[in-house]
Amino acid sequence: MIFLTLELRDRLRVNDLTRCNALRCGNPAPDPVPVVRFFNPVGAATWLATELDEDGILFGIADLGFGCPELGSFALEELESIRLPFGLGIERDILFEGKFPLSVYAEAARRAGSLIEGERILYRAAAAAAKGGA
């Protein structure tokens, strides 16, 4: 599988350049919606990424499954190089569509102690709100 399509790479790069330009101009950093989700198909590790810098470093949330998801940077090359049991590797969730700004995912993950559980809580709350507003 192609880890990042050209379209995803472009969206991640635009977010990085937008953040850099905002900071350079003295403006607050934007809070973009995650562009891509990676996961361990045989474990609990999950990553959401909003940005990709020119050196191949992603920024987003990393949750290695130990109960302490955190915002930070991680290398695309390292994700691609991980070898798991059964000849598997880290995969990209091809159906992922970010719905909330990164800060919302980060807070939900922090409160739940897991990015996966935080996402479940967010999506249930959004579905309930949509249902109640219909």
Side-chain angles (χ1 to χ4, degrees):
M1 169 196 287
I2 298 172
F3 232 51
L4 285 179
T5 64
L6 187 55
E7 178 199 352
L8 291 173
R9 187 177 290 275
D10 287 347
R11 288 174 54 200
L12 290 163
R13 289 292 298 135
V14 165
N15 284 347
D16 180 63
L17 294 171
T18 300
R19 182 186 55 77
C20 289
N21 287 336
L23 295 175
R24 194 175 3 263
C25 294
N27 298 323
D31 188 13
V33 171
V35 173
V36 65
R37 182 180 195 270
F38 300 106
F39 66 96
N40 176 341
V42 294
T46 308
W47 298 261
L48 293 181
T50 57
E51 302 172 25
L52 176 68
D53 74 12
E54 61 194 15
D55 297 322
I57 304 300
L58 294 155
F59 180 80
I61 303 171
D63 181 358
L64 302 181
F66 303 121
C68 52
E70 58 184 56
L71 288 171
S73 300
F74 40 97
L76 178 61
E77 184 177 340
E78 285 184 27
L79 287 179
E80 291 173 326
S81 70
I82 294 171
R83 294 296 162 244
L84 302 166
F86 313 112
L88 297 172
I90 300 303
E91 296 185 18
R92 176 174 49 89
D93 181 346
I94 61 172
L95 300 178
F96 176 77
E97 288 184 37
K99 303 288 185 197
F100 312 97
L102 183 63
S103 63
V104 173
Y105 283 102
E107 180 62 17
R110 185 191 64 75
R111 287 179 184 235
S114 160
L115 179 55
I116 294 169
E117 187 57 34
E119 286 179 298
R120 285 186 189 125
I121 292 166
L122 287 174
Y123 292 130
R124 273 185 289 205
K131 193 175 188 180

